[in-house]
Amino acid sequence: MIELFRLLRNQRRLIAKITGGFLILGLAIALFSPVEYTSEALLMPEMKSSESSAGDMLENYGGLLGLGSMGSMDLSKEGTIAPEVYPKIVQSLGFQHKLLNQDIYFSKLDTTVNGYNYFEDIRNLSLFEILLEYTLGLPSKIRSPEPPAPLPDWLRKEFDEAAVVELADDELEIIGAMQERISIELEGETGVLTVKATMPDAIAAAQVNGTVINMLKEFVKSYSTQKAKEDLVFAETQHKQARDRLEEVQGELASFLDQNVNLATAKSQAREQRLQAEFDLAYNMYNNVSQQLMEAKMKVQEQTPVFKALQAANVPTQKSKPQRILILILSFFAGLIASFFYITGRNIYDNVSRQL
């Protein structure tokens, strides 16, 4: 250790030169890196309990509504999405493709364009990004793989509209860059969602963050209530048919009673009994279908997720990147480490060469 300390002390000028070079490089990176702003929002998604408040309400007040017992009603948690899946939803290609087609206002440019047009045509690369693109990114520019053939029309028709996403290489590249700009994290202990969006413009960052939150809400809501809404449409159809049948039988019974006030013959009495039986059957059917309709409506309400905004998407006032002080500190220590390994490595090489 003493010899090593003496070696480093004797080479302090070289250490200073190497560290100074790293500091200059770090200063260039700090000055020429693009400025970015990060908008942050906090959400508290609803946690579904094992007991259904909608089911309890119908159980308590179903008799008053004339709907009978609600004991058989089951408002379970089917179709719900766990908050742990939300990051996967946001990072999916379909979600990102839809997000990049949304209009974004950039205050510095005083223009409104969608994400694809901004990153493809409007955004100017910084000097540091240009250097990276034509150094580390040069191999990807040299190789030009053949683009895949588009889906034929007959095959596309067989897929659901949302089942297949066809994207070009430049679109995939922009989506990859956008995926790095958006993050969503779930805090396991509290269940709070932290949603962040980073953009070169402060207002655009807040707008993108708000758009991500709204799209996520709509996706989760649509998924969670899809089955319940289909059941509601079916219940409404059955309810309309039962009501029309009840009104039809009720009209026939009323017309018959108006025309046969005294009911003197056995034939008239038999017809009255038959019409009355049909009316009772239609009335009971109408009550049962009304109960199912109420259950379906409450199921939709119960399955609709709720997001409480603990903190709305803010417009950042301070830039999040580049962190110039941190870059300079890291450059300084990187220079020290590089000079240490260079000097010790060269000294070991010289000693081995003398022995040989």
Side-chain angles (χ1 to χ4, degrees):
M1 293 299 296
I2 295 175
E3 293 179 0
L4 179 61
F5 177 76
R6 289 176 180 174
L7 175 65
L8 295 177
R9 184 184 61 182
N10 294 334
Q11 300 292 334
R12 57 184 179 274
R13 290 186 178 180
L14 180 59
I15 294 175
K17 291 180 181 179
I18 295 176
T19 305
F22 272 81
L23 281 174
I24 293 174
L25 178 61
L27 181 62
I29 294 175
L31 291 178
F32 294 105
S33 294
V35 176
E36 301 282 353
Y37 297 88
T38 300
S39 174
E40 180 177 319
L42 301 177
L43 299 177
M44 175 66 78
E46 178 188 22
M47 298 299 179
K48 295 290 185 182
S49 62
S50 59
E51 296 182 356
S52 168
S53 58
D56 293 341
M57 186 174 68
L58 282 179
E59 179 69 25
N60 294 331
Y61 298 103
L64 296 178
L65 296 174
L67 299 179
S69 174
M70 296 289 152
S72 62
M73 185 175 185
D74 178 22
L75 296 182
S76 61
K77 298 190 294 182
E78 61 175 334
T80 59
I81 301 179
E84 291 81 3
V85 186
Y86 293 171
K88 295 292 185 181
I89 297 174
V90 173
Q91 294 296 322
S92 64
L93 286 179
F95 189 97
Q96 292 287 326
H97 178 61
K98 184 177 180 181
L99 174 63
L100 285 167
N101 279 306
Q102 304 296 317
D103 288 337
I104 307 172
Y105 174 72
F106 294 88
S107 58
K108 292 182 179 180
L109 303 175
D110 192 22
T111 185
T112 301
V113 294
N114 64 38
Y116 279 122
N117 291 336
Y118 174 76
F119 287 107
E120 184 72 22
D121 303 324
I122 298 178
R123 180 172 180 258
N124 296 320
L125 296 178
S126 65
L127 178 60
F128 180 66
E129 290 177 313
I130 294 175
L131 291 176
L132 287 179
E133 184 175 354
Y134 286 94
T135 52
L136 298 179
L138 190 59
S140 62
K141 288 183 171 294
I142 294 177
R143 63 174 183 265
S144 55
E146 295 183 2
L151 286 175
D153 292 337
W154 65 268
L155 182 58
R156 186 181 292 107
K157 291 178 181 179
E158 293 187 4
F159 287 110
D160 187 4
E161 183 176 344
V164 175
V165 180
E166 288 187 272
L167 299 172
D169 289 340
D170 55 345
E171 292 177 322
L172 289 173
E173 183 178 354
I174 294 175
I175 286 178
M178 195 65 170
Q179 287 174 333
E180 297 177 357
R181 292 177 172 273
I182 298 173
S183 67
I184 175 170
E185 299 177 357
L186 175 66
E187 188 174 338
E189 296 180 355
T190 61
V192 175
L193 285 171
T194 302
V195 186
K196 295 181 181 179
T198 301
M199 294 293 289
D201 186 275
I203 295 180
Q207 186 178 356
V208 169
N209 202 13
T211 303
V212 169
I213 293 172
N214 291 332
M215 288 177 55
L216 179 61
K217 288 180 180 179
E218 289 299 321
F219 183 93
V220 175
K221 179 180 178 181
S222 175
Y223 180 89
S224 301
T225 60
Q226 180 178 0
K227 179 62 168 60
K229 286 182 177 179
E230 292 176 357
D231 293 342
L232 176 59
V233 172
F234 178 77
E236 288 175 341
T237 302
Q238 297 299 314
H239 183 265
K240 183 179 182 303
Q241 294 176 355
R243 183 184 58 193
D244 293 342
R245 176 57 180 168
L246 176 62
E247 293 176 352
E248 178 184 355
V249 175
Q250 188 178 25
E252 292 180 1
L253 178 61
S255 299
F256 176 79
L257 293 177
D258 290 340
Q259 297 174 3
N260 301 271
V261 179
N262 296 324
L263 296 177
T265 65
K267 184 177 180 180
S268 300
Q269 294 176 358
R271 178 164 175 77
E272 179 198 14
Q273 293 174 357
R274 184 176 64 82
L275 291 175
Q276 186 65 46
E278 291 182 1
F279 174 79
D280 293 339
L281 179 62
Y283 182 77
N284 291 332
M285 179 64 70
Y286 177 77
N287 277 343
N288 291 333
V289 174
S290 298
Q291 174 181 337
Q292 295 174 6
L293 178 61
M294 181 63 71
E295 292 177 2
K297 289 181 178 179
M298 298 307 294
K299 184 68 172 291
V300 173
Q301 177 63 30
E302 180 69 15
Q303 294 293 82
T304 301
V306 177
F307 289 84
K308 176 64 177 178
L310 302 180
Q311 174 186 310
N314 67 313
V315 179
T317 57
Q318 301 292 332
K319 63 180 182 295
S320 58
K321 296 179 182 178
Q323 301 180 16
R324 294 190 170 96
I325 301 299
L326 179 60
I327 292 175
L328 291 177
I329 293 174
L330 293 177
S331 300
F332 174 76
F333 284 105
L336 290 178
I337 295 173
S339 60
F340 170 79
F341 281 105
Y342 173 75
I343 293 172
T344 54
R346 188 180 66 176
N347 183 66
I348 294 173
Y349 177 78
D350 293 340
N351 291 335
V352 173
S353 298
R354 291 193 202 98
Q355 293 176 1
L356 295 177

